[in-house]
Amino acid sequence: MSWERIETKVKPIARSGHRMAIWKHFIVLFGGFVDVANYLNDVWLFSFDNYKWEQVEFPPHHQQPSPRSGFSFLPTPDGVVLHGGYYKDYIKGKRPIGIALDDTWFLKMSLERKEIKWEKRKKIGYAPSPSRSGCTMALWPAKGQGVMFGGVSDVDKDEEVLENDEDDGEDEDGQEEEEEDNEGNTDEDFKTSAADVAIVEETPALSKEELLALRARAQDFLGSTKDANRSLEDQLSTPLPGESLATFYARSKDYWAQKAHETSDNRGKLLRRDGFGLAEDRYATYKPILDEVEKILAEAGLDEEEMKRVGGSENAPGSSANRNRR
């Protein structure tokens, strides 16, 4: 066995922090950075047939991921899923700020170069949090899902220190940095840490019949939120239009802690964490309906604050507005 260097006239510029994935008989390369101020978002293909590089050119104004490094790049039968990443924002006269990304894209592949295109994926359910780079994803073919683990979430402590500042979670010697423990988190955070597992699915487009069914469920749900005879438990355990996961949990955390206590021996912070997990699952169940309700209200010309009033989230049990009136 021996190495053989492949020389090509056309090739990507030298870079670091990029990612590559195999699709059919191609290597797909995206992104990376050239130096501390130059991040990339170009796409290249390397053919196993002729051992040549070729850059994929997109039409003007084609929507595509912003320049980044340290992202996840997962090959699927139809293309490549991209999630997260990292870049540094440079503003003249100020120190650079490291920013972790949380967007998800799908590079729809084709043997016809002109048909290759980027598609931005909507967040369905509860997306991985906090934003991160350097995470790993693997394909679960039987379920058509990508399984994500780990990563690095940068934290600016002061003007002199930026923790986990490497774009892909590695130090200068290429060794992975050790994750800090989670002791510093407050009991109000309860977001999935960079050591949690998340599943990213390639969301299929809904058929016309499915869209109509979802619209009907959303209309029924919107009507039920105005029902004055709903039980207190139903009001506390159901997210409302315009509510984020954080807002939903904030007004119902005592309820979820009680539900967690019924099946868990944990106490204190661990019990509240269990309760947050229950609230998170509940919110994910309703998220498609909530998104559809927001579309209905937006079509009616309502802004975000009006959506909250119509949906009843301002007057929901445990809401800040309710507490202020007491």
Side-chain angles (χ1 to χ4, degrees):
M1 182 181 294
S2 62
W3 285 99
E4 179 181 348
R5 183 165 182 164
I6 300 173
E7 298 289 353
T8 58
K9 291 182 179 180
V10 177
K11 58 186 176 181
I13 60 175
R15 66 189 67 198
S16 179
H18 56 287
R19 296 292 185 265
M20 298 194 298
I22 293 179
W23 182 81
K24 294 189 182 299
H25 56 279
F26 294 101
I27 293 176
V28 185
L29 179 151
F30 175 79
F33 66 95
V34 177
D35 54 49
V36 293
N38 187 9
Y39 284 78
L40 306 168
N41 67 340
D42 50 348
V43 176
W44 289 79
L45 301 179
F46 181 82
S47 172
F48 293 134
D49 289 340
N50 57 24
Y51 282 23
K52 290 183 179 180
W53 283 104
E54 176 186 358
Q55 184 172 5
V56 178
E57 300 288 351
F58 296 101
H61 311 300
H62 178 72
Q63 189 181 32
Q64 61 191 76
S66 59
R68 67 190 68 199
S69 66
F71 48 90
S72 294
F73 210 44
L74 177 69
T76 73
D78 296 321
V80 188
V81 176
L82 179 154
H83 178 77
Y86 175 91
Y87 76 100
K88 281 188 176 180
D89 190 19
Y90 284 82
I91 301 176
K92 189 174 181 180
K94 297 184 179 181
R95 69 186 183 92
I97 300 175
I99 298 177
L101 302 168
D102 65 353
D103 50 345
T104 303
W105 295 76
F106 182 64
L107 181 62
K108 188 174 181 61
M109 294 296 296
S110 172
L111 296 177
E112 297 293 331
R113 304 293 183 270
K114 293 182 180 180
E115 295 181 7
I116 297 176
K117 62 180 180 179
W118 283 106
E119 298 174 351
K120 189 169 185 179
R121 292 310 196 194
K122 294 182 179 180
K123 295 178 181 178
I124 303 297
Y126 186 56
S129 178
S131 303
R132 65 192 71 192
S133 63
C135 50
T136 297
M137 289 182 66
L139 182 64
W140 188 1
K143 296 290 185 178
Q145 297 175 332
V147 182
M148 176 189 296
F149 179 81
V152 177
S153 182
D154 294 332
V155 178
D156 278 311
K157 281 199 167 181
D158 54 45
E159 293 192 355
E160 303 297 328
V161 178
L162 177 62
E163 291 189 345
N164 292 330
D165 193 22
E166 296 297 327
D167 75 283
D168 56 358
E170 298 183 353
D171 61 23
E172 294 179 356
D173 295 326
Q175 299 296 319
E176 292 186 2
E177 295 179 350
E178 293 184 0
E179 292 280 335
E180 293 193 356
D181 61 38
N182 210 24
E183 292 298 320
N185 289 350
T186 66
D187 62 349
E188 296 177 354
D189 289 335
F190 292 133
K191 296 178 180 178
T192 51
S193 72
D196 286 336
V197 173
I199 294 181
V200 177
E201 297 188 54
E202 181 188 333
T203 307
L206 296 179
S207 66
K208 183 177 180 179
E209 292 74 15
E210 290 171 327
L211 288 172
L212 290 174
L214 180 59
R215 175 58 61 105
R217 290 175 62 196
Q219 291 171 334
D220 290 343
F221 174 74
L222 184 58
S224 70
T225 61
K226 303 173 184 178
D227 185 357
N229 296 320
R230 295 171 64 205
S231 67
L232 179 60
E233 179 175 8
D234 187 36
Q235 295 178 58
L236 288 172
S237 65
T238 305
L240 294 170
E243 276 192 324
S244 65
L245 172 60
T247 305
F248 170 53
Y249 176 70
R251 74 169 175 84
S252 59
K253 59 184 179 181
D254 292 340
Y255 168 81
W256 293 112
Q258 181 180 352
K259 297 298 290 185
H261 180 64
E262 295 174 1
T263 58
S264 172
D265 294 328
N266 288 330
R267 295 292 184 273
K269 181 177 179 179
L270 291 179
L271 180 64
R272 291 191 294 275
R273 188 178 297 276
D274 292 339
F276 177 80
L278 295 176
E280 183 181 13
D281 291 342
R282 182 73 165 178
Y283 188 86
T285 301
Y286 277 89
K287 190 64 167 65
I289 297 177
L290 294 173
D291 289 342
E292 191 65 22
V293 167
E294 288 189 12
K295 290 180 184 178
I296 294 173
L297 298 180
E299 290 167 3
L302 276 64
D303 60 25
E304 186 174 344
E305 291 304 315
E306 290 172 324
M307 288 182 189
K308 291 179 180 179
R309 287 196 293 271
V310 172
S313 59
E314 287 189 347
N315 300 317
S319 68
S320 58
N322 234 330
R323 289 195 296 270
N324 291 337
R325 283 199 293 272
R326 290 199 293 269

